[in-house]
Amino acid sequence: MRKNRQANEIRAITVTPGYSKYAEGSAWVEWGHNKVLATVSIDNSLPPHLRYRKNNSGGWLNAEYALLPRSTHDRVVRERLYSGGRTQEIQRLLGRAFRSIINLDAFPNQTLTIDVDVIQADGGTRCAGIVAGYAALFNAVNKLIHKGKLDEWPLEESGIAAISLGIVNGETLIDLEYNEDMQASLDINVVATGEGKIIEVQGGSEKNPVSAEVYVKLIAQGITATQQILENVKKQLS
């Protein structure tokens, strides 16, 4: 199926932390042909639905995601007023994933916004977005620690990563490229910590149903792959 790598081989991932001059935290990630910029902004306010909650002491985190024009084969229309269904779904995934690994009590009455912009896409953009967002969060926290604005490290020590897997023409493939994703009879995304704890699993069969045994095996392979990704990424963050 794939000419240049093995079925269980992950595409090359490079991370450039601190890529954006003005953001509180940022990272540029190249994952195969995916190119993603993530930035972290910190505002000294809370969203309206949290401003009047009882015993309010912590902060909030949300995420925004966008495929930029010409990030794909044809021009993507810029979503100026309303996000499309796919965009909203990915934004919610990113928000849930990042909130699961951060102690928001360290950011009282503050809102962290992680913007993930895909400059070039090639399969697995949401996975690349999670890695880029984590790298940007790491960069932001690292800056705050060094400036003395945070006393304790608020992120899950083991980190977070995501990977896509699928069955293409009967073969199990890890880290799907665009053409593989389009042909997959089953594809899933696994989001997990470096300790192997599952944060979220998305996806299922596109054609024929699969057994629980096959599905669980795919998830296990995904967890192993996310640990490999994090081992690589964390070396580039230090």
Side-chain angles (χ1 to χ4, degrees), residues 106-126:
F107 301 90
N109 298 308
Q110 294 180 311
T111 298
L112 286 74
T113 300
I114 304 179
D115 287 291
V116 175
D117 292 310
V118 179
I119 312 301
Q120 182 171 286
D122 179 33
T125 57
R126 71 188 66 196

Side-chain angles (χ1 to χ4, degrees), residues 18-228:
Y19 189 85
S20 176
K21 179 179 179 179
Y22 301 111
E24 283 85 335
S26 62
W28 172 260
V29 168
E30 296 189 21
W31 184 341
H33 293 298
N34 286 312
K35 297 182 180 181
V36 180
L37 174 64
T39 59
V40 177
S41 302
I42 303 177
D43 296 319
N44 293 317
S45 64
L46 289 171
H49 72 284
L50 294 177
R51 289 174 189 167
Y52 307 107
R53 63 184 175 183
K54 294 181 179 179
N55 301 320
N56 177 41
S57 61
W60 183 247
L61 181 151
N62 59 42
E64 295 193 13
Y65 169 93
L67 281 172
L68 297 190
R70 292 327 309 251
S71 59
T72 58
H73 297 89
D74 299 313
R75 183 181 185 275
V76 177
V77 177
R78 201 182 296 272
E79 296 175 327
R80 298 183 184 277
L81 297 178
Y82 303 102
S83 299
R86 179 180 182 275
T87 297
Q88 291 184 35
E89 183 257 322
I90 294 177
Q91 287 180 165
R92 289 167 182 159
L93 166 66
L94 296 176
R96 289 192 299 270
F98 299 136
R99 286 192 294 271
S100 73
I101 61 158
I102 188 169
N103 176 16
L104 288 171
D105 287 339
F107 301 90
N109 298 308
Q110 294 180 311
T111 298
L112 286 74
T113 300
I114 304 179
D115 287 291
V116 175
D117 292 310
V118 179
I119 312 301
Q120 182 171 286
D122 179 33
T125 57
R126 71 188 66 196
C127 298
I130 286 174
V131 169
Y134 167 68
L137 260 180
F138 189 102
N139 180 244
V141 168
N142 199 38
K143 287 181 180 179
L144 292 170
I145 289 286
H146 281 87
K147 290 178 179 178
K149 294 183 177 181
L150 280 178
D151 296 327
E152 296 182 357
W153 190 261
L155 297 180
E156 165 69 49
E157 289 290 345
S158 64
I160 183 178
I163 190 71
S164 61
L165 308 91
I167 298 176
V168 183
N169 296 328
E171 183 179 13
T172 298
L173 302 179
I174 290 178
D175 190 15
L176 301 181
E177 299 173 16
Y178 175 76
N179 64 316
E180 295 167 344
D181 183 59
M182 296 299 291
Q183 299 178 60
S185 60
L186 178 146
D187 67 279
I188 64 173
N189 298 296
V190 176
V191 186
T193 68
E195 295 178 338
K197 295 180 179 179
I198 295 173
I199 293 172
E200 189 154 344
V201 177
Q202 292 186 326
S205 176
E206 298 287 346
K207 294 181 181 179
N208 300 319
V210 297
S211 67
E213 181 181 3
V214 169
Y215 198 81
V216 170
K217 184 178 179 180
L218 279 171
I219 294 173
Q221 289 176 300
I223 292 172
T224 299
T226 58
Q227 292 174 315
Q228 294 172 352

